[in-house]
Amino acid sequence: MMDVPKVEVPTIAIAGRTERFPVRRIFCVGQNYADHAREMGSNPDREQPFFFSKPADAVVESGAVLPFPSLTSNLHHEVELVVALGAGGTAVPVADAEGLIFGHAVGIDLTRRDLQAEAKQKGRPWDMAKGFDRSAPVGALTPGAPPASGAITLRVDGALRQDGDLSQMIWNVAEVISKLSAYVALAPGDLVFTGTPAGVGPILPGETVLAEIAGTAPVEVRFLA
């Protein structure tokens, strides 16, 4: 009879500390910057936020060299502010939401855009477009809540692709956490990707992607040719 497998909990680095942050779940909010909503063909007029998820073991550390994802010819980058929760709750008021945050980081929501487009066209879930292996690179966490404003950028092989500011969010971080907590009971270890500014676009095999948010550790990954 096969032994019961031992499964390790995914973790991410914490800036300035030897301890690592255990990842329980990853939630993402869609189209939370007006300019990105427009480039995706949606109305940015503060519609209710919608959410999707990635598996916890999709996290990737900065410096990783990644195989190019399978079953896609249109892999896209989306730079995002990520918040890591050190406490949880259900139906959390906006005024209390910031108190759940352990730290924040810059992340990249990798998307198999062709699979997503096909899923949208056929009315199917996005899971395999968003939640595939190694689809969530995340830099080291900076302890504490994130700033309300600050540059958020992404470069591919040194060329600037995305250039926004955290203040451009349609729903701010506290509002995102509060809205999400109405759907699920949040818990310590949860990560929340808070949306991407305009400029999303393709990544090719062999290219290097660098994402940065002012005041946090960057995340950089390279894809094998």
Side-chain angles (χ1 to χ4, degrees), residues 10 15 43-44 51 56-57 63 72 78 83 85 121 123 161 163 207 224:
N43 183 346
F51 300 92
D57 63 1
T72 184
E78 301 186 12
V83 291
L85 303 186
Q121 184 180 35
R161 293 278 192 85
D163 184 11
E207 291 186 325
L224 293 172

Side-chain angles (χ1 to χ4, degrees), residues 112-168:
R112 295 194 279 204
R113 193 71 75 197
D114 42 2
L115 299 192
Q116 184 187 38
E118 181 182 7
K120 286 181 178 181
Q121 184 180 35
K122 296 182 178 180
R124 294 175 178 174
W126 296 2
D127 297 56
M128 293 299 100
K130 289 285 192 177
F132 53 96
D133 296 339
R134 298 174 290 272
S135 61
V138 179
L141 288 172
T142 297
S149 62
I152 175 170
T153 61
L154 183 140
R155 290 174 168 81
V156 176
D157 280 356
L160 185 64
R161 293 278 192 85
Q162 294 184 262
D163 184 11
D165 193 280
L166 300 178
S167 63
Q168 296 168 337

Side-chain angles (χ1 to χ4, degrees), residues 26 54-61 64-70 75-76 107-112 128-138 193 203 219 221-224:
I26 301 175
K54 294 175 181 275
D57 63 1
V59 295
V60 174
E61 286 203 284
V65 178
L66 306 178
F68 198 80
S70 62
L75 179 69
H76 274 209
I108 306 171
D109 169 16
L110 295 174
T111 303
R112 295 194 279 204
M128 293 299 100
K130 289 285 192 177
F132 53 96
D133 296 339
R134 298 174 290 272
S135 61
V138 179
F193 280 61
I203 305 165
V219 60
V221 294
R222 180 169 64 86
F223 290 89
L224 293 172

Side-chain angles (χ1 to χ4, degrees), residues 38-119:
R38 291 188 188 97
E39 75 177 352
M40 298 302 290
S42 296
N43 183 346
D45 290 337
R46 205 167 164 82
E47 295 179 357
Q48 289 297 311
F50 66 94
F51 300 92
F52 56 93
S53 61
K54 294 175 181 275
D57 63 1
V59 295
V60 174
E61 286 203 284
S62 184
V65 178
L66 306 178
F68 198 80
S70 62
L71 300 177
T72 184
S73 58
N74 194 20
L75 179 69
H76 274 209
H77 55 76
E78 301 186 12
V79 61
E80 310 209 6
L81 169 69
V82 180
V83 291
L85 303 186
T90 303
V92 178
V94 172
D96 298 337
E98 189 173 293
L100 305 186
I101 298 173
F102 170 85
H104 61 280
V106 60
I108 306 171
D109 169 16
L110 295 174
T111 303
R112 295 194 279 204
R113 193 71 75 197
D114 42 2
L115 299 192
Q116 184 187 38
E118 181 182 7

